[in-house]
Amino acid sequence: MTELRAQGAGLTAMPAVPDDVRLIDLAWNRLTELPARVGELSALEELRLDGNLLTSLPTLPPSLRELHADGNRLTSLPPLPPSLESLFVYGNALERLPARLGPLRHLAAGGNGLEEVPDQVWRLTGLHSLNLAENRLTHVPGAIGGLNGLRMLDLGHNAIKEIPSEIGELDLTDYLYLSDNGFTRVPASIGGLRRLTYLNLTDNRLTALPPSIGDMAALKELRLYNNALTGLPPSIGRLAELRELHLQGNHLTSLPTLPPSLRVLDLRDNHLSRLPETIGGLTRLVHLDLRNNRLRELPAGLLGMTALEKLDLRWNKLDGDPAELRALEARGCVVLR
C-alpha cells in the first residue's frame, strides 16, 4: 500500500504524493491549508490531519473511508464522501455538521460549538461510537434508541436537561458519559444497559438513583461524584462486577450494603456520621477514601477488609485512637487521619 507518513515533521505545506497513495498522515504539523489536488487522489482511503492549523478542507475524494482532523480550526466541512466510515473532528470550531453523513461507524464531533446535530445522526444504525461532548446541545431525541450498533456514547459537558428513556434501548458495552449536563434524574430504563461496563453521571444535579441501577450486571466502574445524592438504592449491592464506585461531593448520610467486588470506594466530602458493619464485607477493597465526613467512630467490621492498602480519614473528628486503625496499620495498611 502506498503511504505518506510525515507526522510531527514541522511541515507548513503538503508534500508531493503519488496518484495511487492510499494513506496520508500529516498529523501534528503546521498546515494551514491543503491543495485541491487532494480531491483528485482516487485511491486515498485514510487522511490524518490531527493537530494542524486548518480552517477549511478541500473537496474530498469519493474513495475516502477515514478522516481524522481533531484539534484544528475548522469552521465548516465540505460534502462528505459516500464511503466515509470514520469522521473525527473533535476540538474545532464547527457550528454544524453536514446534513449528509454517509454510512458512518465512528463520529467524534465533540469540542465544537454545536447546538444541534442533523437528524440523520440519530438514524446511523451502523454507528459504533458517538462523541458529541463539550458542545452546546440541549436536547437528545428519543430516536437515539434506534442506534442499535452503538457501543460507546459520550454526551458529557453539554446542557442536556433531560435524558430520554429510549437510552435504555441501546446495547452499549464500553462506556456512557453523561457528565456535566445539569439534569436532575436519570430514567429507570437505564437499567436496560446490562452490558455496559463504565457509567459516568458526574457533575449533575441528581438527588436519587433509580432502583433499576442494580440491573446493570456488567458495570465495573460507576462515577457519581458532585451530585446531590442523599442515599443509594439497596439494589446497588447487586452489581456483582463493580470494581470502582466514586461518590465524592454528594450529601450521603448512610450507605446500603455494597457489592463485595469493589476495589476502590471514594466517599469523601459527604455527610456520613457512621459506617455500616457490612462494610467489612468488602474483602477485595484496596482503597477507601472517607475524607471530610462526620465520622466519630468506626465499626469493628472494618477489619474484615483484608485487602485494604490505604484508608484516608482526614478531616473527620474521630473519638480517641480507634483500635481498628492500629490493627490496620499493624498489617501494613496506610492510614491517614
Side-chain angles (χ1 to χ4, degrees):
M1 182 173 78
T2 305
E3 300 179 353
L4 169 64
R5 293 185 182 271
Q7 62 269 33
L11 298 176
T12 57
M14 182 174 130
V17 294
D19 292 340
D20 62 346
V21 67
R22 293 182 178 274
L23 182 150
I24 296 177
D25 189 347
L26 296 172
W28 309 303
N29 282 289
R30 292 179 290 174
L31 303 178
T32 57
E33 61 179 359
L34 293 180
R37 170 166 158 70
V38 168
E40 301 168 2
L41 299 173
S42 59
L44 187 62
E45 296 182 356
E46 187 172 349
L47 181 57
R48 293 182 172 268
L49 301 165
D50 302 314
N52 278 282
L53 303 171
L54 300 167
T55 57
S56 63
L57 296 174
T59 300
L60 300 169
S63 57
L64 196 66
R65 295 175 59 238
E66 294 188 28
L67 174 60
H68 300 260
D70 293 341
N72 280 276
R73 301 175 181 179
L74 299 173
T75 58
S76 63
L77 293 174
L80 299 178
S83 58
L84 196 69
E85 296 180 356
S86 298
L87 176 60
F88 294 90
V89 287
Y90 201 102
N92 281 279
L94 299 172
E95 295 185 358
R96 63 180 60 85
L97 296 177
R100 295 186 179 182
L101 295 170
L104 291 178
R105 297 187 69 247
H106 304 281
L107 173 57
N112 284 282
L114 301 175
E115 296 183 358
E116 60 182 7
V117 295
D119 289 342
Q120 190 193 353
V121 168
W122 313 114
R123 297 195 295 269
L124 295 173
T125 55
L127 206 59
H128 183 84
S129 64
L130 176 59
N131 188 328
L132 295 172
E134 297 182 78
N135 280 297
R136 300 172 188 167
L137 303 178
T138 59
H139 174 69
V140 175
I144 193 175
L147 300 182
N148 47 34
L150 205 59
R151 299 294 178 264
M152 299 169 278
L153 176 60
D154 189 347
L155 295 172
H157 309 288
N158 280 285
I160 302 166
K161 295 299 182 273
E162 184 173 356
I163 304 303
S165 61
E166 289 84 357
I167 204 165
E169 299 172 13
L170 298 173
D171 191 22
L172 298 174
T173 55
D174 292 15
Y175 59 75
L176 172 58
Y177 285 91
L178 294 172
S179 57
D180 187 26
N181 274 285
F183 51 79
T184 59
R185 59 179 294 275
V186 289
S189 62
I190 201 167
L193 301 177
R194 290 180 171 84
R195 299 210 299 154
L196 185 67
T197 57
Y198 179 102
L199 175 60
N200 189 318
L201 297 171
T202 63
D203 298 287
N204 285 293
R205 299 174 185 172
L206 298 174
T207 57
L209 297 175
S212 61
I213 199 92
D215 297 333
M216 302 178 72
L219 205 59
K220 294 184 183 298
E221 187 166 341
L222 177 57
R223 291 183 175 263
L224 294 161
Y225 52 78
N226 297 336
N227 278 284
L229 298 170
T230 57
L232 300 173
S235 61
I236 204 167
R238 301 203 311 264
L239 297 176
E241 298 295 321
L242 195 65
R243 296 191 176 197
E244 296 190 25
L245 179 57
H246 298 265
L247 291 158
Q248 173 193 358
N250 280 280
H251 303 155
L252 297 174
T253 58
S254 63
L255 297 173
T257 299
L258 298 172
S261 55
L262 280 176
R263 270 71 161 177
V264 175
L265 178 57
D266 186 350
L267 292 163
R268 58 185 154 162
D269 300 328
N270 276 282
H271 299 166
L272 296 170
S273 59
R274 61 182 298 274
L275 300 176
E277 286 289 343
T278 55
I279 202 166
L282 302 180
T283 57
R284 299 180 185 179
L285 196 69
V286 174
H287 185 188
L288 175 57
D289 194 338
L290 290 163
R291 279 176 286 175
N292 194 32
N293 275 278
R294 300 173 180 179
L295 298 171
R296 292 286 185 268
E297 58 183 9
L298 300 172
L302 204 65
L303 296 177
M305 295 189 290
T306 53
L308 196 63
E309 295 180 2
K310 182 177 180 182
L311 171 61
D312 199 335
L313 286 160
R314 287 175 290 176
W315 306 302
N316 285 279
K317 294 186 178 179
L318 297 173
D319 292 333
D321 183 19
E324 292 84 4
L325 298 187
R326 295 197 302 274
L328 287 172
E329 288 172 327
R331 68 189 191 201
C333 179
V334 174
V335 178
L336 302 175
R337 47 183 160 166

